[in-house]
Amino acid sequence: MSNGDGPAGRGGLGTVRNAVQLLELLGQGPAYQQLTDLAERSQMSIPTVHRLLRSLVLADLVVQDPRSSRYGLGPELTRLSHQYLSRLPLLGALAPYLPQLRDQLGATVHVQTLVRGEVVYVDRVEAADRSPYRDAHRVHPALDSAGGRLLAARAEDDGWERALEAAGPGEAAVARASRSEWAAADHLALAPDDPMLPAEVAVPVVDGQGVTVGALAADVDDPGDEARVATVAAHLARTARAAGRTLGHA
């Protein structure tokens, strides 16, 4: 990897790539991180990291804590993410259906996308009897959730490999053996290893061109309850098909 000081690291795409790498590192681990740690983890020189961070701070993409001089993600990312989501066709297509689907199932409903090997919960409608535990801004390794497994298995090979990289060795081995099965499945049910997170049933959302653009999921108490899983999956699938028909025709 370039240290950011050679021709590949100066200006143009090299600078953008290095800045994105720093943002990704700041999104991992503690909320605020030291300059020297970021330089070590990115394999870029300290002067290069410092120069990039100063530019990102000026753009409010990064903030520097005045007491510790450590760096963290900035508020501009929130504004940009909301602008992105407000224009996301997947959410526009699904939004009218989500409250009714929640009421039919009596469960929290989620909309998920795959981003760089992780599943991002981009929308949710809470059940009336929701758990007191809320994880409102969920981003997890894709293979930790039913929707993430569906999306990763159906992704291009680079997306699949990113999902494997985010998984543990044992989980990655299971995933490699199961990719074809997951990619062909019309739904998946899974209880995550984290006991604080709910189990879920998920179905793919496929657009008018046959491209899987997201997943629609609902919480379930017991992913081993085949009757309940089948009922939830049927409701999710009908909604996913209705929304999918409006996507991808332009």
Short mmCIF file of all heavy atoms in Angstrom, two decimals, residues 75-140:
data_model
loop_
_atom_site.label_atom_id
_atom_site.label_comp_id
_atom_site.label_asym_id
_atom_site.label_seq_id
_atom_site.Cartn_x
_atom_site.Cartn_y
_atom_site.Cartn_z
N PRO A 75 -19.87 16.20 11.71
CA PRO A 75 -21.32 16.31 11.51
C PRO A 75 -21.75 16.40 10.05
O PRO A 75 -22.89 16.10 9.72
CB PRO A 75 -21.69 17.59 12.27
CG PRO A 75 -20.42 18.39 12.27
CD PRO A 75 -19.31 17.39 12.37
N GLU A 76 -20.84 16.81 9.16
CA GLU A 76 -21.22 16.91 7.76
C GLU A 76 -21.62 15.56 7.18
O GLU A 76 -22.44 15.48 6.27
CB GLU A 76 -20.07 17.52 6.96
CG GLU A 76 -20.32 17.65 5.46
CD GLU A 76 -21.43 18.64 5.11
OE1 GLU A 76 -21.92 19.35 6.01
OE2 GLU A 76 -21.79 18.71 3.92
N LEU A 77 -21.06 14.49 7.73
CA LEU A 77 -21.41 13.15 7.26
C LEU A 77 -22.88 12.85 7.50
O LEU A 77 -23.53 12.18 6.70
CB LEU A 77 -20.53 12.11 7.96
CG LEU A 77 -19.05 12.15 7.59
CD1 LEU A 77 -18.24 11.28 8.54
CD2 LEU A 77 -18.83 11.71 6.15
N THR A 78 -23.42 13.37 8.62
CA THR A 78 -24.83 13.17 8.91
C THR A 78 -25.71 13.86 7.87
O THR A 78 -26.68 13.28 7.36
CB THR A 78 -25.17 13.71 10.30
OG1 THR A 78 -24.35 13.06 11.27
CG2 THR A 78 -26.64 13.47 10.64
N ARG A 79 -25.37 15.10 7.54
CA ARG A 79 -26.16 15.82 6.55
C ARG A 79 -26.11 15.12 5.19
O ARG A 79 -27.14 14.95 4.52
CB ARG A 79 -25.65 17.26 6.42
CG ARG A 79 -26.52 18.14 5.54
CD ARG A 79 -25.95 19.56 5.46
NE ARG A 79 -24.71 19.57 4.70
CZ ARG A 79 -24.67 19.68 3.36
NH1 ARG A 79 -25.80 19.77 2.66
NH2 ARG A 79 -23.52 19.70 2.73
N LEU A 80 -24.91 14.70 4.80
CA LEU A 80 -24.78 14.03 3.50
C LEU A 80 -25.54 12.70 3.48
O LEU A 80 -26.15 12.35 2.47
CB LEU A 80 -23.30 13.80 3.20
CG LEU A 80 -22.48 15.05 2.89
CD1 LEU A 80 -21.01 14.70 2.75
CD2 LEU A 80 -22.98 15.75 1.64
N SER A 81 -25.49 11.97 4.61
CA SER A 81 -26.19 10.69 4.64
C SER A 81 -27.69 10.87 4.54
O SER A 81 -28.38 10.10 3.84
CB SER A 81 -25.83 9.91 5.92
OG SER A 81 -26.36 10.54 7.07
N HIS A 82 -28.22 11.91 5.18
CA HIS A 82 -29.66 12.17 5.09
C HIS A 82 -30.04 12.58 3.67
O HIS A 82 -31.11 12.20 3.17
CB HIS A 82 -30.08 13.24 6.09
CG HIS A 82 -30.25 12.71 7.49
ND1 HIS A 82 -31.29 11.90 7.85
CD2 HIS A 82 -29.49 12.86 8.60
CE1 HIS A 82 -31.18 11.58 9.12
NE2 HIS A 82 -30.09 12.14 9.60
N GLN A 83 -29.19 13.37 3.02
CA GLN A 83 -29.48 13.74 1.65
C GLN A 83 -29.46 12.52 0.73
O GLN A 83 -30.29 12.38 -0.17
CB GLN A 83 -28.46 14.78 1.16
CG GLN A 83 -28.66 16.16 1.79
CD GLN A 83 -27.74 17.18 1.19
OE1 GLN A 83 -26.75 16.87 0.55
NE2 GLN A 83 -28.06 18.45 1.40
N TYR A 84 -28.50 11.64 0.97
CA TYR A 84 -28.43 10.42 0.17
C TYR A 84 -29.68 9.57 0.36
O TYR A 84 -30.30 9.11 -0.61
CB TYR A 84 -27.18 9.62 0.55
CG TYR A 84 -27.15 8.23 -0.03
CD1 TYR A 84 -26.86 8.01 -1.37
CD2 TYR A 84 -27.44 7.12 0.77
CE1 TYR A 84 -26.85 6.74 -1.91
CE2 TYR A 84 -27.43 5.85 0.23
CZ TYR A 84 -27.13 5.66 -1.10
OH TYR A 84 -27.14 4.39 -1.63
N LEU A 85 -30.07 9.36 1.62
CA LEU A 85 -31.23 8.51 1.90
C LEU A 85 -32.51 9.12 1.36
O LEU A 85 -33.41 8.39 0.92
CB LEU A 85 -31.34 8.27 3.41
CG LEU A 85 -30.24 7.42 4.04
CD1 LEU A 85 -30.41 7.36 5.55
CD2 LEU A 85 -30.23 6.02 3.45
N SER A 86 -32.63 10.44 1.39
CA SER A 86 -33.85 11.07 0.89
C SER A 86 -34.01 10.88 -0.61
O SER A 86 -35.12 11.01 -1.13
CB SER A 86 -33.84 12.57 1.22
OG SER A 86 -32.87 13.26 0.45
N ARG A 87 -32.91 10.55 -1.29
CA ARG A 87 -32.95 10.35 -2.73
C ARG A 87 -32.86 8.87 -3.12
O ARG A 87 -32.83 8.54 -4.31
CB ARG A 87 -31.80 11.10 -3.40
CG ARG A 87 -31.91 12.61 -3.30
CD ARG A 87 -30.59 13.27 -3.64
NE ARG A 87 -30.70 14.71 -3.78
CZ ARG A 87 -30.73 15.57 -2.77
NH1 ARG A 87 -30.67 15.11 -1.52
NH2 ARG A 87 -30.83 16.87 -2.98
N LEU A 88 -32.82 7.99 -2.14
CA LEU A 88 -32.64 6.56 -2.41
C LEU A 88 -33.94 5.96 -2.91
O LEU A 88 -34.93 5.90 -2.17
CB LEU A 88 -32.17 5.85 -1.14
CG LEU A 88 -31.71 4.39 -1.30
CD1 LEU A 88 -30.49 4.31 -2.21
CD2 LEU A 88 -31.39 3.78 0.07
N PRO A 89 -34.01 5.50 -4.16
CA PRO A 89 -35.27 4.96 -4.70
C PRO A 89 -35.82 3.81 -3.87
O PRO A 89 -37.05 3.66 -3.75
CB PRO A 89 -34.87 4.50 -6.11
CG PRO A 89 -33.70 5.35 -6.48
CD PRO A 89 -32.94 5.54 -5.19
N LEU A 90 -34.96 2.98 -3.30
CA LEU A 90 -35.41 1.85 -2.50
C LEU A 90 -36.31 2.31 -1.37
O LEU A 90 -37.38 1.72 -1.12
CB LEU A 90 -34.20 1.10 -1.95
CG LEU A 90 -34.48 -0.03 -0.96
CD1 LEU A 90 -35.20 -1.19 -1.65
CD2 LEU A 90 -33.18 -0.52 -0.31
N LEU A 91 -35.92 3.37 -0.67
CA LEU A 91 -36.72 3.85 0.46
C LEU A 91 -38.02 4.48 -0.02
O LEU A 91 -39.07 4.30 0.60
CB LEU A 91 -35.92 4.86 1.28
CG LEU A 91 -34.70 4.31 2.02
CD1 LEU A 91 -34.12 5.36 2.94
CD2 LEU A 91 -35.06 3.06 2.81
N GLY A 92 -37.95 5.21 -1.13
CA GLY A 92 -39.17 5.80 -1.66
C GLY A 92 -40.19 4.75 -2.06
O GLY A 92 -41.40 4.94 -1.89
N ALA A 93 -39.71 3.63 -2.59
CA ALA A 93 -40.62 2.57 -3.03
C ALA A 93 -41.22 1.81 -1.85
O ALA A 93 -42.38 1.40 -1.90
CB ALA A 93 -39.88 1.61 -3.95
N LEU A 94 -40.45 1.62 -0.79
CA LEU A 94 -40.92 0.81 0.33
C LEU A 94 -41.68 1.60 1.39
O LEU A 94 -42.54 1.05 2.09
CB LEU A 94 -39.72 0.13 1.01
CG LEU A 94 -39.16 -1.10 0.30
CD1 LEU A 94 -37.86 -1.54 0.94
CD2 LEU A 94 -40.16 -2.25 0.32
N ALA A 95 -41.38 2.89 1.53
CA ALA A 95 -41.93 3.68 2.64
C ALA A 95 -43.45 3.58 2.77
O ALA A 95 -43.97 3.45 3.89
CB ALA A 95 -41.49 5.13 2.51
N PRO A 96 -44.23 3.64 1.68
CA PRO A 96 -45.69 3.60 1.85
C PRO A 96 -46.21 2.29 2.44
O PRO A 96 -47.31 2.25 3.00
CB PRO A 96 -46.22 3.78 0.42
CG PRO A 96 -45.10 4.41 -0.34
CD PRO A 96 -43.86 3.85 0.27
N TYR A 97 -45.43 1.23 2.33
CA TYR A 97 -45.89 -0.09 2.77
C TYR A 97 -45.50 -0.43 4.21
O TYR A 97 -46.07 -1.34 4.81
CB TYR A 97 -45.30 -1.17 1.86
CG TYR A 97 -45.69 -1.07 0.41
CD1 TYR A 97 -44.82 -0.53 -0.53
CD2 TYR A 97 -46.93 -1.52 -0.04
CE1 TYR A 97 -45.15 -0.44 -1.86
CE2 TYR A 97 -47.28 -1.44 -1.38
CZ TYR A 97 -46.39 -0.89 -2.28
OH TYR A 97 -46.73 -0.80 -3.61
N LEU A 98 -44.48 0.25 4.72
CA LEU A 98 -43.88 -0.22 5.98
C LEU A 98 -44.82 -0.15 7.18
O LEU A 98 -44.86 -1.11 7.97
CB LEU A 98 -42.59 0.56 6.26
CG LEU A 98 -41.47 0.38 5.23
CD1 LEU A 98 -40.22 1.13 5.68
CD2 LEU A 98 -41.16 -1.09 5.01
N PRO A 99 -45.57 0.94 7.41
CA PRO A 99 -46.47 0.94 8.58
C PRO A 99 -47.51 -0.18 8.54
O PRO A 99 -47.77 -0.83 9.56
CB PRO A 99 -47.12 2.33 8.51
CG PRO A 99 -46.15 3.17 7.75
CD PRO A 99 -45.57 2.24 6.72
N GLN A 100 -48.12 -0.41 7.36
CA GLN A 100 -49.11 -1.48 7.26
C GLN A 100 -48.46 -2.84 7.49
O GLN A 100 -49.03 -3.71 8.15
CB GLN A 100 -49.78 -1.44 5.89
CG GLN A 100 -50.83 -2.53 5.71
CD GLN A 100 -51.46 -2.49 4.33
OE1 GLN A 100 -51.07 -1.69 3.48
NE2 GLN A 100 -52.44 -3.35 4.10
N LEU A 101 -47.26 -3.03 6.95
CA LEU A 101 -46.56 -4.29 7.14
C LEU A 101 -46.25 -4.51 8.61
O LEU A 101 -46.42 -5.62 9.14
CB LEU A 101 -45.27 -4.28 6.31
CG LEU A 101 -44.44 -5.56 6.30
CD1 LEU A 101 -45.24 -6.74 5.75
CD2 LEU A 101 -43.17 -5.36 5.48
N ARG A 102 -45.82 -3.46 9.30
CA ARG A 102 -45.58 -3.56 10.74
C ARG A 102 -46.83 -3.98 11.49
O ARG A 102 -46.78 -4.84 12.39
CB ARG A 102 -45.07 -2.19 11.23
CG ARG A 102 -44.76 -2.08 12.73
CD ARG A 102 -45.93 -1.61 13.57
NE ARG A 102 -46.69 -0.52 12.99
CZ ARG A 102 -46.39 0.77 13.14
NH1 ARG A 102 -45.32 1.13 13.82
NH2 ARG A 102 -47.18 1.70 12.59
N ASP A 103 -47.96 -3.38 11.12
CA ASP A 103 -49.22 -3.71 11.80
C ASP A 103 -49.64 -5.15 11.49
O ASP A 103 -50.17 -5.85 12.37
CB ASP A 103 -50.31 -2.74 11.36
CG ASP A 103 -50.04 -1.32 11.83
OD1 ASP A 103 -49.22 -1.14 12.75
OD2 ASP A 103 -50.63 -0.39 11.24
N GLN A 104 -49.47 -5.60 10.28
CA GLN A 104 -49.84 -6.97 9.92
C GLN A 104 -49.02 -7.99 10.69
O GLN A 104 -49.55 -9.03 11.13
CB GLN A 104 -49.64 -7.18 8.42
CG GLN A 104 -50.63 -6.45 7.54
CD GLN A 104 -50.28 -6.55 6.07
OE1 GLN A 104 -49.13 -6.79 5.70
NE2 GLN A 104 -51.27 -6.37 5.21
N LEU A 105 -47.74 -7.72 10.85
CA LEU A 105 -46.84 -8.68 11.49
C LEU A 105 -46.73 -8.48 13.00
O LEU A 105 -46.32 -9.40 13.71
CB LEU A 105 -45.44 -8.57 10.86
CG LEU A 105 -45.34 -8.91 9.38
CD1 LEU A 105 -43.92 -8.66 8.89
CD2 LEU A 105 -45.73 -10.37 9.15
N GLY A 106 -47.08 -7.29 13.48
CA GLY A 106 -46.87 -6.99 14.88
C GLY A 106 -45.41 -7.05 15.25
O GLY A 106 -45.03 -7.47 16.35
N ALA A 107 -44.54 -6.59 14.34
CA ALA A 107 -43.10 -6.70 14.54
C ALA A 107 -42.40 -5.49 13.93
O ALA A 107 -42.94 -4.84 13.02
CB ALA A 107 -42.56 -7.97 13.89
N THR A 108 -41.22 -5.20 14.43
CA THR A 108 -40.40 -4.14 13.84
C THR A 108 -39.92 -4.58 12.46
O THR A 108 -39.48 -5.72 12.28
CB THR A 108 -39.20 -3.83 14.74
OG1 THR A 108 -39.67 -3.35 16.00
CG2 THR A 108 -38.29 -2.78 14.12
N VAL A 109 -40.01 -3.67 11.51
CA VAL A 109 -39.64 -3.95 10.12
C VAL A 109 -38.43 -3.09 9.75
O VAL A 109 -38.37 -1.90 10.11
CB VAL A 109 -40.82 -3.67 9.17
CG1 VAL A 109 -40.41 -3.89 7.73
CG2 VAL A 109 -42.01 -4.54 9.54
N HIS A 110 -37.49 -3.67 9.02
CA HIS A 110 -36.26 -2.98 8.65
C HIS A 110 -36.07 -3.01 7.13
O HIS A 110 -36.46 -3.97 6.46
CB HIS A 110 -35.02 -3.67 9.25
CG HIS A 110 -35.13 -3.97 10.70
ND1 HIS A 110 -34.72 -3.09 11.68
CD2 HIS A 110 -35.57 -5.08 11.36
CE1 HIS A 110 -34.92 -3.63 12.87
NE2 HIS A 110 -35.44 -4.84 12.70
N VAL A 111 -35.40 -1.97 6.62
CA VAL A 111 -34.91 -1.96 5.25
C VAL A 111 -33.38 -1.94 5.31
O VAL A 111 -32.79 -1.14 6.05
CB VAL A 111 -35.41 -0.72 4.47
CG1 VAL A 111 -34.92 -0.77 3.03
CG2 VAL A 111 -36.93 -0.65 4.52
N GLN A 112 -32.75 -2.82 4.56
CA GLN A 112 -31.31 -3.00 4.65
C GLN A 112 -30.65 -2.88 3.28
O GLN A 112 -31.23 -3.26 2.26
CB GLN A 112 -30.98 -4.39 5.23
CG GLN A 112 -31.66 -4.67 6.56
CD GLN A 112 -31.64 -6.14 6.91
OE1 GLN A 112 -31.33 -6.98 6.08
NE2 GLN A 112 -31.99 -6.46 8.15
N THR A 113 -29.42 -2.34 3.28
CA THR A 113 -28.60 -2.32 2.08
C THR A 113 -27.22 -2.86 2.41
O THR A 113 -26.83 -2.92 3.59
CB THR A 113 -28.47 -0.90 1.49
OG1 THR A 113 -27.86 -0.04 2.47
CG2 THR A 113 -29.82 -0.35 1.10
N LEU A 114 -26.49 -3.22 1.38
CA LEU A 114 -25.12 -3.73 1.55
C LEU A 114 -24.14 -2.64 1.11
O LEU A 114 -24.22 -2.14 -0.01
CB LEU A 114 -24.91 -4.98 0.69
CG LEU A 114 -23.55 -5.67 0.84
CD1 LEU A 114 -23.43 -6.34 2.20
CD2 LEU A 114 -23.36 -6.71 -0.28
N VAL A 115 -23.23 -2.28 2.01
CA VAL A 115 -22.23 -1.24 1.73
C VAL A 115 -20.87 -1.74 2.19
O VAL A 115 -20.65 -1.94 3.39
CB VAL A 115 -22.57 0.09 2.43
CG1 VAL A 115 -21.52 1.15 2.08
CG2 VAL A 115 -23.96 0.57 2.05
N ARG A 116 -19.97 -2.00 1.25
CA ARG A 116 -18.58 -2.36 1.56
C ARG A 116 -18.51 -3.52 2.56
O ARG A 116 -17.77 -3.46 3.54
CB ARG A 116 -17.81 -1.14 2.05
CG ARG A 116 -17.77 -0.01 1.03
CD ARG A 116 -17.05 1.20 1.56
NE ARG A 116 -15.61 0.99 1.59
CZ ARG A 116 -14.79 1.20 0.57
NH1 ARG A 116 -15.27 1.63 -0.59
NH2 ARG A 116 -13.49 1.00 0.69
N GLY A 117 -19.30 -4.54 2.33
CA GLY A 117 -19.24 -5.74 3.14
C GLY A 117 -20.01 -5.69 4.44
O GLY A 117 -19.97 -6.65 5.22
N GLU A 118 -20.73 -4.59 4.68
CA GLU A 118 -21.53 -4.46 5.89
C GLU A 118 -22.99 -4.23 5.52
O GLU A 118 -23.29 -3.67 4.45
CB GLU A 118 -21.02 -3.31 6.76
CG GLU A 118 -19.62 -3.53 7.30
CD GLU A 118 -19.18 -2.42 8.21
OE1 GLU A 118 -19.27 -1.25 7.80
OE2 GLU A 118 -18.73 -2.71 9.34
N VAL A 119 -23.88 -4.65 6.40
CA VAL A 119 -25.30 -4.40 6.18
C VAL A 119 -25.67 -3.15 6.96
O VAL A 119 -25.32 -2.99 8.13
CB VAL A 119 -26.17 -5.61 6.61
CG1 VAL A 119 -26.07 -5.89 8.09
CG2 VAL A 119 -27.62 -5.39 6.20
N VAL A 120 -26.33 -2.23 6.26
CA VAL A 120 -26.74 -0.95 6.85
C VAL A 120 -28.26 -0.93 6.93
O VAL A 120 -28.94 -1.14 5.93
CB VAL A 120 -26.23 0.24 6.01
CG1 VAL A 120 -26.64 1.56 6.66
CG2 VAL A 120 -24.72 0.17 5.84
N TYR A 121 -28.77 -0.69 8.11
CA TYR A 121 -30.22 -0.61 8.32
C TYR A 121 -30.64 0.84 8.03
O TYR A 121 -30.47 1.73 8.87
CB TYR A 121 -30.58 -1.00 9.75
CG TYR A 121 -30.41 -2.48 10.03
CD1 TYR A 121 -29.15 -3.08 10.02
CD2 TYR A 121 -31.51 -3.29 10.30
CE1 TYR A 121 -29.00 -4.44 10.27
CE2 TYR A 121 -31.37 -4.64 10.56
CZ TYR A 121 -30.11 -5.21 10.54
OH TYR A 121 -29.97 -6.55 10.79
N VAL A 122 -31.17 1.09 6.84
CA VAL A 122 -31.41 2.45 6.39
C VAL A 122 -32.79 2.97 6.74
O VAL A 122 -33.05 4.17 6.62
CB VAL A 122 -31.17 2.58 4.86
CG1 VAL A 122 -29.71 2.34 4.53
CG2 VAL A 122 -32.06 1.62 4.08
N ASP A 123 -33.71 2.10 7.14
CA ASP A 123 -35.03 2.55 7.59
C ASP A 123 -35.61 1.48 8.50
O ASP A 123 -35.23 0.30 8.42
CB ASP A 123 -35.96 2.79 6.40
CG ASP A 123 -37.15 3.68 6.76
OD1 ASP A 123 -37.22 4.16 7.91
OD2 ASP A 123 -38.00 3.91 5.88
N ARG A 124 -36.55 1.89 9.35
CA ARG A 124 -37.18 0.95 10.27
C ARG A 124 -38.50 1.54 10.74
O ARG A 124 -38.66 2.75 10.84
CB ARG A 124 -36.29 0.63 11.47
CG ARG A 124 -36.02 1.82 12.36
CD ARG A 124 -34.91 1.56 13.37
NE ARG A 124 -35.31 0.68 14.42
CZ ARG A 124 -34.56 -0.32 14.87
NH1 ARG A 124 -33.38 -0.57 14.33
NH2 ARG A 124 -34.95 -1.07 15.87
N VAL A 125 -39.46 0.67 11.00
CA VAL A 125 -40.73 1.05 11.63
C VAL A 125 -40.87 0.15 12.84
O VAL A 125 -40.92 -1.07 12.72
CB VAL A 125 -41.92 0.88 10.67
CG1 VAL A 125 -43.22 1.24 11.38
CG2 VAL A 125 -41.73 1.75 9.44
N GLU A 126 -40.94 0.76 14.02
CA GLU A 126 -40.92 0.02 15.27
C GLU A 126 -42.27 -0.61 15.58
O GLU A 126 -43.33 -0.02 15.35
CB GLU A 126 -40.55 0.95 16.43
CG GLU A 126 -39.18 1.59 16.32
CD GLU A 126 -38.09 0.69 16.84
OE1 GLU A 126 -38.41 -0.44 17.25
OE2 GLU A 126 -36.92 1.11 16.85
N ALA A 127 -42.23 -1.82 16.12
CA ALA A 127 -43.43 -2.47 16.63
C ALA A 127 -43.89 -1.76 17.90
O ALA A 127 -43.07 -1.18 18.63
CB ALA A 127 -43.17 -3.94 16.91
N ALA A 128 -45.18 -1.84 18.18
CA ALA A 128 -45.71 -1.18 19.38
C ALA A 128 -45.12 -1.77 20.64
O ALA A 128 -44.90 -1.07 21.63
CB ALA A 128 -47.24 -1.30 19.39
N ASP A 129 -44.85 -3.09 20.63
CA ASP A 129 -44.31 -3.76 21.82
C ASP A 129 -42.81 -4.00 21.65
O ASP A 129 -42.28 -5.03 22.05
CB ASP A 129 -45.03 -5.08 22.06
CG ASP A 129 -44.88 -6.04 20.88
OD1 ASP A 129 -44.49 -5.57 19.80
OD2 ASP A 129 -45.19 -7.24 21.05
N ARG A 130 -42.11 -3.03 21.07
CA ARG A 130 -40.69 -3.20 20.80
C ARG A 130 -39.91 -3.40 22.09
O ARG A 130 -40.32 -2.97 23.17
CB ARG A 130 -40.14 -1.99 20.05
CG ARG A 130 -40.17 -0.70 20.85
CD ARG A 130 -39.68 0.46 20.01
NE ARG A 130 -39.65 1.70 20.75
CZ ARG A 130 -40.68 2.52 20.87
NH1 ARG A 130 -41.81 2.20 20.30
NH2 ARG A 130 -40.58 3.64 21.57
N SER A 131 -38.77 -4.01 21.96
CA SER A 131 -37.88 -4.22 23.09
C SER A 131 -37.38 -2.88 23.61
O SER A 131 -37.24 -1.91 22.84
CB SER A 131 -36.68 -5.07 22.64
OG SER A 131 -35.64 -4.99 23.58
N PRO A 132 -37.09 -2.77 24.91
CA PRO A 132 -36.52 -1.51 25.42
C PRO A 132 -35.15 -1.22 24.84
O PRO A 132 -34.68 -0.09 24.86
CB PRO A 132 -36.44 -1.75 26.94
CG PRO A 132 -36.47 -3.23 27.10
CD PRO A 132 -37.31 -3.74 25.98
N TYR A 133 -34.49 -2.25 24.30
CA TYR A 133 -33.19 -2.04 23.67
C TYR A 133 -33.40 -1.57 22.24
O TYR A 133 -34.11 -2.18 21.47
CB TYR A 133 -32.38 -3.34 23.66
CG TYR A 133 -31.05 -3.21 22.93
CD1 TYR A 133 -29.96 -2.63 23.56
CD2 TYR A 133 -30.92 -3.65 21.62
CE1 TYR A 133 -28.75 -2.50 22.90
CE2 TYR A 133 -29.71 -3.52 20.96
CZ TYR A 133 -28.65 -2.95 21.61
OH TYR A 133 -27.45 -2.82 20.94
N ARG A 134 -32.81 -0.42 21.89
CA ARG A 134 -32.91 0.10 20.53
C ARG A 134 -31.52 0.29 19.95
O ARG A 134 -30.65 0.85 20.59
CB ARG A 134 -33.66 1.44 20.49
CG ARG A 134 -35.13 1.34 20.77
CD ARG A 134 -35.81 2.66 20.49
NE ARG A 134 -36.02 2.87 19.07
CZ ARG A 134 -35.49 3.88 18.38
NH1 ARG A 134 -34.71 4.75 18.96
NH2 ARG A 134 -35.73 4.00 17.10
N ASP A 135 -31.34 -0.19 18.76
CA ASP A 135 -30.10 0.00 18.02
C ASP A 135 -30.49 0.75 16.76
O ASP A 135 -30.58 0.19 15.67
CB ASP A 135 -29.46 -1.35 17.70
CG ASP A 135 -28.06 -1.22 17.14
OD1 ASP A 135 -27.56 -0.08 17.11
OD2 ASP A 135 -27.48 -2.24 16.75
N ALA A 136 -30.73 2.06 16.90
CA ALA A 136 -31.38 2.83 15.85
C ALA A 136 -30.52 2.97 14.60
O ALA A 136 -31.03 3.10 13.50
CB ALA A 136 -31.75 4.22 16.38
N HIS A 137 -29.22 2.99 14.77
CA HIS A 137 -28.33 3.21 13.63
C HIS A 137 -27.44 1.98 13.48
O HIS A 137 -26.25 2.00 13.80
CB HIS A 137 -27.50 4.47 13.84
CG HIS A 137 -28.34 5.68 14.16
ND1 HIS A 137 -29.16 6.27 13.23
CD2 HIS A 137 -28.50 6.37 15.31
CE1 HIS A 137 -29.78 7.30 13.80
NE2 HIS A 137 -29.40 7.37 15.05
N ARG A 138 -28.03 0.93 12.97
CA ARG A 138 -27.33 -0.35 12.95
C ARG A 138 -26.49 -0.50 11.69
O ARG A 138 -26.97 -0.35 10.57
CB ARG A 138 -28.33 -1.50 13.06
CG ARG A 138 -28.95 -1.61 14.44
CD ARG A 138 -30.06 -2.63 14.46
NE ARG A 138 -29.59 -3.99 14.20
CZ ARG A 138 -30.39 -5.05 14.15
NH1 ARG A 138 -31.67 -4.90 14.35
NH2 ARG A 138 -29.90 -6.24 13.92
N VAL A 139 -25.22 -0.82 11.90
CA VAL A 139 -24.30 -1.20 10.83
C VAL A 139 -23.52 -2.39 11.37
O VAL A 139 -22.84 -2.28 12.39
CB VAL A 139 -23.33 -0.07 10.45
CG1 VAL A 139 -22.39 -0.53 9.35
CG2 VAL A 139 -24.10 1.18 10.01
N HIS A 140 -23.65 -3.53 10.71
CA HIS A 140 -23.01 -4.75 11.20
C HIS A 140 -22.37 -5.50 10.04
O HIS A 140 -22.76 -5.33 8.88
CB HIS A 140 -24.05 -5.67 11.87
CG HIS A 140 -24.67 -5.08 13.10
ND1 HIS A 140 -23.98 -4.88 14.25
CD2 HIS A 140 -25.94 -4.67 13.34
CE1 HIS A 140 -24.79 -4.35 15.17
NE2 HIS A 140 -25.98 -4.21 14.62
#
